[in-house]
Amino acid sequence: SAWIEVEPQDWDPNNNSTALAIHLDVVTPIAEARMRMGETLVIEGVVTTEPGVFTFQGNPRYMYIQDDTGGILVYLGGSGLNPVDRDNLVQVTGTIGEYRTETQIELATPADVVDLGPDTPVVPEQMTTGAAATEEVEGQLVQVVGYIVYKPNAYTLHVDDGSGIVEVYRFFNLGQTGDPNYIDFSDYIVGDLISATGVARGYAYNETVRREILPRGPADILELPFV
């Protein structure tokens, strides 16, 4: 995007001229941006997971966006990001980095996100569980169908359609009953067939990278009849 800025008035009446500045933001495709660690870039994408869905100590630090080339986590520490609606197009300026192996664009202030208004919603890409458990789709909205093969704790379901396991992880705040996006995992047992939609990520726990799908609310998890 670009805009032109001029002085509000001509400060020197003797030269009949004024100052002019042209601002140009070069937007980098998200897939390319993900490869440019340490660089400060401008990206644009549609919001798939708005601030406030995943929180840290109540702060809306996380947002996921996606363009035609890929998806990425938008992160701002402290009190976090300003509200932005899901399916809106945003322009983001920040530095490409990595936290626990997950690629993210790290912001300096909430003003680094410019809300460009409603856009076409991102349709989750349907894929195998094995494909969802890869670096190539990290940050993207995906959907899988598979059987629960292991339930190690109240927050995690291991799901497999025969192509490999992906973990469906209920973000910590979504396990709190007072959260507006609370997801109840209690009734799910090994052997259930489910559909799971969410953002794919890789996250290192004790130096082991786990490939996860992060559902955004109860509508993203559906138990299916056995086939």
Side-chain angles (χ1 to χ4, degrees):
S1 62
W3 71 95
I4 297 174
E5 179 181 356
V6 298
E7 283 183 336
Q9 65 186 62
D10 188 351
W11 297 108
D12 184 353
N14 297 316
N15 65 13
N16 197 31
S17 65
T18 188
L20 175 111
I22 298 176
H23 301 264
L24 179 64
D25 291 329
V26 177
V27 176
T28 302
I30 290 176
E32 178 184 339
R34 292 178 58 88
M35 305 297 293
R36 295 170 63 175
M37 286 289 164
E39 296 189 45
T40 299
L41 303 171
V42 178
I43 62 174
E44 288 184 0
V46 176
V47 177
T48 60
T49 308
E50 65 274 24
V53 173
F54 306 139
T55 64
F56 178 80
Q57 298 180 345
N59 295 316
R61 296 183 176 185
Y62 313 97
M63 175 173 67
Y64 284 90
I65 67 173
Q66 187 169 330
D67 66 8
D68 291 338
T69 70
I72 196 169
L73 168 63
V74 178
Y75 178 82
L76 176 62
S79 58
L81 299 154
N82 290 331
V84 180
D85 289 339
R86 187 177 298 181
D87 304 329
N88 276 18
L89 180 67
V90 294
Q91 185 179 95
V92 178
T93 303
T95 302
I96 305 300
E98 189 176 74
Y99 180 73
R100 294 199 174 190
T101 75
E102 182 177 20
T103 301
Q104 60 188 19
I105 184 165
E106 303 163 2
L107 311 188
T109 73
D112 289 332
V113 176
V114 178
D115 188 350
L116 302 177
D119 204 273
T120 303
V122 173
V123 177
E125 184 176 353
Q126 298 181 6
M127 61 181 59
T128 66
T129 55
T134 63
E135 170 75 20
E136 286 73 19
V137 297
E138 184 180 84
Q140 298 180 39
L141 191 64
V142 303
Q143 182 180 24
V144 300
V145 173
Y147 291 95
I148 299 173
V149 295
Y150 184 44
K151 187 179 181 181
N153 53 54
Y155 286 83
T156 308
L157 306 173
H158 289 203
V159 180
D160 194 351
D161 62 4
S163 64
I165 293 173
V166 67
E167 299 185 23
V168 178
Y169 175 69
R170 181 178 63 174
F171 210 84
F172 180 79
N173 62 286
L174 299 189
Q176 310 303 305
T177 55
D179 193 284
N181 299 302
Y182 169 67
I183 305 173
D184 186 359
F185 269 15
S186 61
D187 288 340
Y188 292 112
I189 61 174
V190 171
D192 285 347
L193 179 66
I194 65 169
S195 168
T197 299
V199 177
R201 77 165 179 175
Y203 198 79
Y205 297 84
N206 298 322
E207 299 183 357
T208 299
V209 178
R210 286 159 47 177
R211 292 291 168 184
E212 302 172 330
I213 293 174
L214 307 180
R216 302 160 297 173
D220 280 344
I221 301 289
L222 178 65
E223 185 172 356
L224 302 175
F226 289 102
V227 294

